[in-house]
Amino acid sequence: MNASIGPVLDRLLARAAEACGLSSARQSAVEIANLCARAGDAAQSPERDDAAARVARLSTGEIRDMVRFVTARFHVLNQAEQVNIIRVNRARARAATPDAPRAESLAEAFARVRDLGLDAGGVRALVERLDIQPTLTAHPTEAKRRAVLDNLVRLAAEMERLAEANLSEGEKRGIERRVAGLMELLLATDDVRPKRLDVIDEVKNGLFFLRSSIWSAVPRLMRDLADCANEAFGAGALELTDLPALIRYRTWIGGDRDGNPRVTHDVTAATLQQLRSAAVELWDRELAELQQELTLSKRRVSIPAWFLALVEKDEHARELDGAWLEHRQNEPVRVRLMQLRTRLKRDPGYDGLALVRDLIAIRDAIAEAGLSEAARSGRLADAIVRARVFGLHLATLDVRQHSAVHESTVAELLALAGVTPDYRALSEEQRVEVLRRELAQPRPLRPIGAPLSPQAAEMMQTLRVVRDAVAQDRRSVRSFVISMTHGLSDVLEVLLMMKEAGLTRVVSARPPSSGPGGAPTLESSLHVVPLLETIDDLERGEGLIASMLDDPLYRSHLESLVPASLRDRFEGRMSAPVQEVMLGYSDSNKDGGFMMANVALDRAQRRVARAVLDRGVLLRYFHGRGGTVGRGGGRAGRAIMASPAPARTGRIRFTEQGEVISFRYALAPIAERHLEQIVHAALVSSADGREPESDSRAPALIERLAKQSMQRYRSLIDDPEFWGWFIHTGPIGPIAGMPIASRPVMRTGAASASADRSGFETLRAIPWVFTWVQMRGLAPGWFGIGAALASASPEERALLAKEYRASLWLRTVLDNAAQELLRARLPIARRYGAHFPQGARIFAMLEEEHARAVAGVLEVTGAKALGQDTPIIAESIRERNPWTDVLNLAQIELLSRARTANEAERAELEPLLLQTVSGLAAAMQSTG
């Protein structure tokens, strides 16, 4: 099954449409889609004109019903494709052999590692070095409502059953009735939320995935990891219950306040409480299941005396019901598990480290009793894995804020302390001098009772919330991320605020290896993470990181975090501090275009890695990738493999956003495969540090072409007529009003984009890309690359073709651009601006650049047509196009009506425009 939903599902959807009174809407959609299919990719087509005229003749209510049906059809199609992915993955897994393992599997990873010459000891060291941290974020959030998503998960489960072989006719009829019923509910459920999500709603959405598919997928992945390693390197190469937490989940939801005034200190506190409560609930259920399973009796086996003493002396023993204890007096493991359940609920200081120790004690006791399989496999082994990965915090929260907020807060604190009346007027060198001097002073800056502005007060209250959370569980919050980090002062400002809040303190001098003897040093509870976002910041990244690590106070702060890192891993294997550096894919693309952003990110990774490693510090990159190619999206495993050799440390973070979360985690088998591909890539890339053989002329050529690409891209977005064309032709207004996220679409918090050029600067990268996706232009994923390739000589293009075959990085960049070029539908994009003649020249630039990009990419890659190497994806795009066109034509017609509508008519049109945005998000499987 590809983009076609199949005859059975099509028949059942038609039945559901009839039940919901949508037969006429379905018929209109089919007829219009057929016209669009006949129009194909032609720039001008009478069939497409006819299709648009058919839409124009529909009443508003008829358009609403048609959009409702087509959106539901795409929801069904998306689930059908996921079910097919699961089926294909299972078939490939069954066909795999030790000599021919499945591609991107753990078995293949260990085979490749073995071929590199590693033995069992080497593979243990390799696995222990892995530190993979997927990070859930709420922007862009999922366009689908939770009610819709829940029913789609149920629908997928029934589709899986329907695909099973050997069903009886009765079973098949029953499943088909269930599928038809779920389709009816899908058609009868609102696609668009009635009100904007608040932050706690987003927290609950993240918890949904953490508590379900992620909670179940991680232990299965770790079992597979141990089994595959033992198969490749011999029994005992890896012991499941001794594995460190090589996967750990992080979250920004409820902690990321950059540009989101709704994330307050109270929200952060509530988020931390929700994470803790969810973990306690999951663990109570998990320990209860273990109670039912671990029923060994001391009358049947010899339980070690040390364990019996541990049970006897536990302070929670007296809190257990006497009658219950009497029935289990010979079952000490069950009693111990009940003690742990009691402590979970009553001891707020009980954390993941303590839980791991308690579960390991149970494992050792059972092993000493002679039950080695029960001790080291099954539910108990899964529980030990989960305790290491999820602890009692479930996912570690980050705090993020913009550097301008830190600057303002520090300026107030320094003025209150009489240090300097106008910190913001100082030069960078003067700021650093002041900050170093104040960081070395143990005294607080703010006099007792001295007032702060609301913004500064909120910032300091947030840090106090974090301080209290970390005191209870060190893994609850681990990092403070600084948006728009431009210089060393941006980093030291955060340290100063942390000192003021009690998260950093001045301590006596450390040994000379960490700085001059007798000099003051810092001890901290949080990592400070610079975020490099713009092209300029990526260029300056090496110097910034060097200045941080060369600063004695900052270095002492970083070294003080090594013990915390050891505890995070539950093993004493990290001998050096870890500096995390976040890379922004969204703003670098919006700033410099697709090719320049990719080149700048690759170059920054190489240079920053050198600056970190030369100073004896370990490096972890945090990749702020979005869901679309224009924001760094694409296959996560391939992106890891394509990273430069210095970045392949085995320590990696990456964001998982919005619809990407539901695509990867809504169904447990998809989640498991996603994690397997990531671990596969991390294993292979960190084991193999070789760079591909490259022509020495290639880097300079690629850099020159990137600059050419950026110049072309800037000529588009800096054109005086561009911004007017963009906001007056596309659905940026409905996107701004769509209640799919708590975060405003504008950095200033304005309700809509400004009509002048400043609107572009304040518009966030996500709605910028989202609008291009809706219009089917997708320019952030390819614009500028055509001019760059066209500027190369035939000899240079031949060199690029050679480099494309040798370099996975260049192959990934050009393949991603090719996919976006294939997904772009310029005949549709043209129709958005038909009413705006001033934009004709702008659209001509898009059309010309698209043609040049297609020609250039095909020449360099050697393909005869876009999608040649990914035929299944290409076929899916082609089959989706006509039905997606239906939604676009409906949106274009509604935008046209809204321009001339009175207030009452606009009130009717606006909700329907939101439905088209939601429908197109489903059709394109992307919000940005």
Side-chain angles (χ1 to χ4, degrees):
M1 184 181 296
N2 47 37
S4 169
I5 64 172
V8 173
L9 294 178
D10 205 12
R11 171 171 55 81
L12 296 175
L13 185 59
R15 186 201 303 179
E18 184 178 3
C20 295
L22 296 176
S23 292
S24 177
R26 175 182 174 275
Q27 185 61 35
S28 293
V30 169
E31 292 170 359
I32 294 169
N34 287 338
L35 285 169
C36 292
R38 291 201 293 272
D41 297 327
Q44 301 287 343
S45 166
E47 289 88 357
R48 189 175 291 110
D49 292 340
D50 190 10
R54 293 280 296 271
V55 173
R57 289 196 294 269
L58 296 175
S59 68
T60 300
E62 288 171 327
I63 293 177
R64 180 189 62 240
D65 289 347
M66 185 177 69
V67 168
R68 183 174 151 201
F69 171 79
V70 177
T71 299
R73 188 183 187 279
F74 274 116
H75 287 323
V76 172
L77 169 58
N78 293 340
Q79 296 308 109
E81 287 189 339
Q82 287 212 300
V83 168
N84 191 52
I85 289 169
I86 293 169
R87 183 186 62 79
V88 170
N89 282 337
R90 286 173 177 162
R92 289 174 178 169
R94 286 193 297 268
T97 66
D99 294 330
R102 180 174 52 147
E104 295 185 280
S105 66
L106 293 174
E108 186 197 53
F110 286 117
R112 292 179 64 174
V113 166
R114 184 184 57 210
D115 291 344
L116 289 170
L118 270 70
D119 58 11
V123 83
R124 276 195 297 273
L126 174 65
V127 169
E128 289 166 1
R129 190 167 73 236
L130 294 188
D131 185 11
I132 301 164
Q133 301 183 31
T135 304
L136 307 182
T137 79
H139 56 277
T141 195
E142 171 60 65
K144 294 186 289 293
R145 295 179 60 211
R146 165 99 285 124
V148 172
L149 185 58
D150 288 345
N151 273 336
L152 289 175
V153 171
R154 297 183 188 103
L155 183 61
E158 297 301 328
M159 287 180 183
E160 280 196 78
R161 293 183 60 206
L162 196 59
E164 290 175 7
N166 304 319
L167 286 175
S168 70
E169 283 303 313
E171 289 173 325
K172 186 177 178 181
R173 282 194 302 271
I175 296 170
E176 287 188 3
R177 283 195 296 269
R178 175 67 172 155
V179 168
L182 288 168
M183 288 178 173
E184 289 176 0
L185 293 173
L186 187 61
L187 287 165
T189 302
D190 286 334
D191 291 306
V192 180
R193 300 176 180 93
K195 72 178 188 69
R196 185 174 294 277
L197 287 178
D198 61 31
V199 182
I200 295 302
D201 291 326
E202 293 172 332
V203 171
K204 291 175 181 176
N205 283 346
L207 282 172
F208 172 83
F209 297 104
L210 287 164
R211 296 171 59 151
S212 54
S213 59
I214 294 173
W215 179 263
S216 64
V218 167
R220 284 197 284 268
L221 175 83
M222 297 289 272
R223 281 202 304 271
D224 195 21
L225 180 89
D227 290 345
C228 290
N230 292 332
E231 179 73 24
F233 293 92
L238 290 184
E239 165 54 50
L240 177 60
T241 60
D242 288 334
L243 288 176
L246 56 93
I247 291 181
R248 295 178 290 163
Y249 275 83
R250 306 283 285 259
T251 178
W252 275 19
I253 312 172
D256 176 18
R257 59 234 317 116
D258 176 17
N260 191 348
R262 300 177 180 92
V263 182
T264 64
H265 69 281
D266 287 331
V267 164
T268 297
T271 299
L272 291 164
Q273 182 56 50
Q274 291 239 1
L275 289 164
R276 169 83 182 192
S277 296
V280 167
E281 181 184 331
L282 286 165
W283 277 111
D284 185 59
R285 186 177 68 200
E286 185 76 14
L287 296 178
E289 293 286 348
L290 283 171
Q291 262 182 256
Q292 298 303 311
E293 183 173 306
L294 302 179
T295 55
L296 58 163
S297 168
K298 62 184 180 183
R299 293 188 296 184
R300 296 291 183 94
V301 293
S302 178
I303 306 294
W306 63 264
F307 186 77
L308 296 175
L310 182 67
V311 175
E312 183 66 30
K313 72 177 185 179
D314 189 278
E315 63 180 20
H316 294 286
R318 60 179 178 271
E319 299 178 33
L320 302 183
D321 179 77
W324 185 91
L325 280 172
E326 187 177 355
H327 282 292
R328 292 157 183 82
Q329 58 184 299
N330 295 313
E331 299 171 335
V333 173
R334 298 183 80 184
V335 173
R336 183 60 180 156
L337 287 163
M338 181 56 84
Q339 290 171 347
L340 300 188
R341 291 177 68 191
T342 303
R343 189 175 181 191
L344 265 177
K345 298 170 186 174
R346 300 185 183 179
D347 182 359
Y350 191 51
D351 64 10
L353 280 167
L355 179 60
V356 170
R357 286 194 294 267
D358 286 333
L359 291 172
I360 291 291
I362 292 172
R363 179 201 68 181
D364 292 347
I366 294 174
E368 287 183 37
L371 310 180
S372 59
E373 285 298 324
R376 297 184 178 275
S377 64
R379 187 176 288 276
L380 178 58
D382 287 354
I384 292 170
V385 167
R386 285 188 174 112
R388 286 197 169 109
V389 171
F390 300 106
L392 282 168
H393 63 289
L394 206 57
T396 299
L397 184 69
D398 282 357
V399 173
R400 181 173 78 133
Q401 183 55 283
H402 197 286
S403 59
V405 176
H406 309 150
E407 175 188 296
S408 175
T409 301
V410 166
E412 284 192 46
L413 292 171
L414 293 173
L416 285 171
V419 174
T420 178
D422 192 356
Y423 168 79
R424 282 173 288 193
L426 302 180
S427 67
E428 171 67 9
E429 293 74 16
Q430 291 170 324
R431 289 184 182 195
V432 168
E433 182 182 351
V434 168
L435 293 167
R436 282 175 175 155
R437 186 170 63 246
E438 293 306 316
L439 278 167
Q441 300 292 330
R443 64 169 176 78
L445 290 168
R446 182 187 178 192
I448 295 174
L452 289 173
S453 69
Q455 178 178 265
E458 173 58 36
M459 186 72 257
M460 297 310 300
Q461 285 173 311
T462 295
L463 289 172
R464 285 190 283 274
V465 166
V466 172
R467 177 197 62 200
D468 294 344
V470 169
Q472 179 177 318
D473 185 341
R474 290 188 67 90
R475 295 179 72 197
S476 61
V477 186
R478 294 300 297 131
S479 296
F480 193 117
V481 181
I482 309 171
S483 294
M484 293 294 172
T485 313
H486 303 307
L488 179 59
S489 65
D490 293 326
V491 176
L492 298 183
E493 284 165 4
V494 171
L495 282 182
L496 188 60
M497 292 190 304
M498 285 168 51
K499 182 173 81 74
E500 190 74 7
L503 283 160
T504 294
R505 64 189 184 97
V506 182
V507 296
S508 57
R510 293 183 180 278
S513 62
S514 65
T521 58
L522 302 178
E523 189 173 87
S524 292
S525 303
L526 289 186
H527 289 269
V528 176
V529 180
L531 169 51
L532 310 177
E533 298 179 81
T534 67
I535 298 296
D536 284 345
D537 286 338
L538 288 168
E539 290 295 318
R540 293 195 298 261
E542 179 183 11
L544 168 66
I545 301 303
S547 68
M548 289 167 55
L549 298 181
D550 289 341
D551 185 272
L553 281 170
Y554 182 83
R555 185 61 180 258
S556 67
H557 141 81
L558 188 64
E559 290 181 349
S560 75
L561 292 163
V562 173
S565 298
L566 296 177
R567 287 193 290 271
D568 277 352
R569 300 285 287 163
F570 298 106
E571 302 285 351
R573 298 183 174 107
M574 297 178 72
S575 58
V578 177
Q579 177 61 55
E580 185 171 296
V581 178
M582 185 171 182
L583 304 169
Y585 287 70
S586 301
D587 283 290
S588 59
N589 180 288
K590 182 169 177 268
D591 182 31
F594 175 73
M595 189 173 184
M596 187 70 235
N598 277 280
V599 169
L601 284 158
D602 181 74
R603 187 168 54 217
Q605 287 184 69
R606 295 175 185 278
R607 294 175 177 176
V608 169
R610 184 169 60 242
V612 172
L613 300 178
D614 285 351
R615 288 162 175 79
V617 174
L618 301 177
L619 172 66
R620 180 193 298 116
Y621 274 125
F622 181 6
H623 300 272
R625 297 181 180 274
T628 56
V629 165
R631 295 186 54 245
R635 292 165 54 191
R638 189 174 185 183
I640 293 170
M641 295 286 288
S643 59
R648 299 182 213 149
T649 64
R651 294 174 294 275
I652 187 170
R653 288 184 68 186
F654 48 89
T655 51
E656 306 258 52
Q657 304 188 8
E659 77 288 339
V660 172
I661 296 175
S662 62
F663 180 83
R664 290 174 176 168
Y665 293 108
L667 303 179
I670 298 287
E672 291 172 40
R673 178 60 173 156
H674 169 58
L675 292 177
E676 180 183 39
Q677 290 172 319
I678 289 169
V679 176
H680 164 277
L683 281 167
V684 174
S685 66
S686 58
D688 186 358
R690 296 171 298 178
E691 291 276 16
E693 293 185 10
S694 176
D695 190 300
S696 60
R697 298 169 296 170
L701 172 61
I702 291 171
E703 185 161 342
R704 179 176 69 76
L705 295 180
K707 291 177 180 176
Q708 182 74 29
S709 174
M710 181 173 175
Q711 182 179 342
R712 176 61 170 163
Y713 170 77
R714 295 299 310 192
S715 75
L716 172 71
I717 64 172
D718 292 336
D719 189 286
E721 293 181 344
F722 169 76
W723 185 240
W725 172 84
F726 186 76
I727 65 170
H728 288 111
T729 62
I732 184 64
I735 287 172
M738 194 170 186
I740 66 171
S742 68
R743 191 185 191 196
V745 301
M746 310 302 294
R747 290 190 182 276
T748 59
S752 60
S754 170
D756 61 34
R757 186 62 177 76
S758 66
F760 176 78
E761 304 301 332
T762 59
L763 181 68
R764 291 188 176 279
I766 293 162
W768 160 250
V769 174
F770 193 0
T771 303
W772 280 110
V773 171
Q774 290 271 308
M775 295 168 65
R776 312 281 292 286
L778 289 95
W782 55 265
F783 195 92
I785 202 168
L789 295 177
S791 72
S793 67
E795 293 77 16
E796 288 172 330
R797 288 196 292 274
L799 173 58
L800 284 174
K802 177 183 175 184
E803 189 71 8
Y804 173 82
R805 293 189 293 273
S807 166
L808 181 56
W809 173 81
L810 183 59
R811 195 153 64 248
T812 299
V813 170
L814 292 181
D815 288 353
N816 283 343
Q819 181 172 305
E820 294 300 90
L821 287 165
L822 181 59
R823 290 212 305 156
R825 189 83 154 160
L826 293 193
I828 289 292
R830 176 195 292 273
R831 289 186 170 270
Y832 277 88
H835 70 288
F836 195 73
Q838 304 96 307
R841 187 172 53 80
I842 298 297
F843 185 80
M845 292 171 67
L846 288 171
E847 214 164 29
E848 177 190 14
E849 185 62 21
H850 186 272
R852 290 198 298 185
V854 170
V857 166
L858 291 179
E859 181 178 354
V860 172
T861 62
K864 290 183 172 58
L866 295 175
Q868 175 180 300
D869 295 332
T870 53
I872 294 176
I873 293 174
E875 181 64 16
S876 175
I877 292 169
R878 281 190 288 270
E879 292 200 8
R880 281 174 178 267
N881 274 342
W883 286 91
T884 310
D885 291 352
V886 175
L887 293 172
N888 282 115
L889 293 175
Q891 187 178 83
I892 291 166
E893 174 62 25
L894 293 169
L895 286 169
S896 176
R897 294 181 188 185
R899 290 184 195 106
T900 59
N902 58 38
E903 188 174 344
E905 290 168 335
R906 276 197 299 273
E908 182 183 12
L909 290 169
E910 285 172 1
L912 184 47
L913 274 165
L914 296 184
Q915 288 183 36
T916 65
V917 171
S918 178
L920 282 164
M924 300 295 289
Q925 296 185 295
S926 176
T927 59

